[in-house]
Amino acid sequence: MSDDGSLTFWDHLDVLRSSIIRMIVAAVVMGIAAFFMKDWLFDIVLAPKDSSFCTYRLLGVEPFSIQLVNTGLTEQFMIHMKVALMTGILVASPYIIYLLFRFISPALYENERRYSIRITVTAYVMFLVGVVVNYLLIFPLTVRFLGTYQVSEEVVTMLTITSYIDTLLMMSLVFGILFEIPVISWLLAKAGMLKASWMTEYRRHAIVAILIVAAIITPTADVLTLIIVSLPIWLLYEVSILLVRSVTH
């Protein structure tokens, strides 16, 4: 420590290193726990491929069958490790965020600390909501369409477990980020870089962009599916307009 009792640059590095080690340990411990809960874990992960999944029952989707295959010697084991690690990071994420905030907060003023807590908690909750929406709605519709799509009856679809898991993880990340739109809009409005009038004026452009994004995320010719995917993103945009308006007025 320096003469005035404050931490030196090297002291800060030691604190940061200690925090990073704790984050890694927490994620690894939770990942190991998830690894040994294989049956329960993959019952959840693989549920959207079955026509008995809750989303399909609510939407009245006709029964279908999707069979996953394994094409590599180590593929299933590596998938098991990947899913367990991602689950461990997700479960440990509150503790990881707490450690990050505890490291950063001493450099903040009291009012900045209050704002930071609200923003961090809100952003974290919105990310989780995005992941849940993807798991319950977006990903099942994508799997159902792409997993049963055929250009010809002579072509048999063989969906690999790697393709399934990678798509689930990628789409969960994408929708987790998309659900940060209100938080990002609020921050930009507080910085004076965004106005509700601009967002209202370009609403039609935004809707077209949302439809394009939805079409890319779920490449389906089913109009109903496209609308269902677009609706949450459009609602996020409308909520962002309200938040920005509350800041600028």
Side-chain angles (χ1 to χ4, degrees):
M1 300 182 69
S2 60
D3 295 337
D4 60 359
S6 60
L7 295 177
T8 64
F9 172 77
W10 299 111
D11 292 329
H12 281 295
L13 283 183
D14 287 337
V15 173
L16 178 60
R17 182 184 62 181
S18 176
S19 298
I20 292 175
I21 292 174
R22 292 182 182 182
M23 295 175 199
I24 295 174
V25 170
V28 170
V29 169
M30 292 297 101
I32 292 173
F35 185 87
F36 287 104
M37 301 173 69
K38 181 180 68 173
D39 293 340
W40 175 81
L41 180 61
F42 279 89
D43 281 346
I44 295 175
V45 171
L46 300 179
K49 78 176 183 64
D50 296 323
S51 58
S52 60
F53 190 59
C54 58
T55 302
Y56 304 131
R57 296 201 306 268
L58 289 174
L59 296 177
V61 175
E62 295 182 1
F64 62 92
S65 177
I66 294 178
Q67 189 70 32
L68 299 181
V69 298
N70 175 54
T71 59
L73 180 63
T74 63
E75 187 173 7
Q76 291 200 63
F77 180 74
M78 297 305 296
I79 286 295
H80 186 187
M81 290 188 62
K82 179 189 291 188
V83 173
L85 179 59
M86 293 299 104
T87 303
I89 293 174
L90 185 63
V91 174
S93 57
Y95 181 65
I96 293 173
I97 293 174
Y98 164 75
L99 290 176
L100 285 173
F101 185 79
R102 192 177 70 170
F103 175 76
I104 297 172
S105 61
L108 303 175
Y109 294 109
E110 184 61 31
N111 61 331
E112 293 175 335
R113 190 176 293 113
R114 288 197 302 268
Y115 272 119
S116 298
I117 292 174
R118 295 175 186 174
I119 294 171
T120 302
V121 172
T122 302
Y124 178 70
V125 170
M126 291 300 293
F127 183 88
L128 292 183
V129 171
V131 171
V132 171
V133 168
N134 174 66
Y135 174 77
L136 292 177
L137 182 62
I138 312 302
F139 181 68
L141 295 177
T142 303
V143 168
R144 183 255 177 185
F145 174 78
L146 296 179
T148 59
Y149 184 83
Q150 287 181 294
V151 295
S152 171
E153 292 184 358
E154 298 181 2
V155 181
V156 179
T157 300
M158 298 182 66
L159 182 62
T160 66
I161 180 65
T162 300
S163 173
Y164 178 93
I165 295 298
D166 288 347
T167 303
L168 173 60
L169 294 177
M170 182 273 294
M171 292 184 64
S172 296
L173 178 61
V174 168
F175 269 86
I177 294 173
L178 282 175
F179 269 67
E180 300 297 336
I181 291 175
V183 178
I184 295 173
S185 298
W186 185 85
L187 289 172
L188 292 176
K190 290 291 289 185
M193 300 172 62
L194 187 63
K195 294 183 179 180
S197 58
W198 300 345
M199 298 181 71
T200 303
E201 180 181 355
Y202 291 99
R203 179 184 274 118
R204 293 182 180 179
H205 301 78
I207 292 175
V208 173
I210 289 170
L211 290 172
I212 293 173
V213 170
I216 294 174
I217 295 174
T218 55
T220 170
D222 185 357
V223 177
L224 178 60
T225 301
L226 183 63
I227 293 175
I228 292 175
V229 174
S230 302
L231 185 60
I233 307 176
W234 172 71
L235 290 176
L236 289 172
Y237 186 81
E238 296 298 328
V239 170
S240 299
I241 292 177
L242 297 177
L243 289 174
V244 172
R245 184 174 291 124
S246 68
V247 171
T248 54
H249 279 72

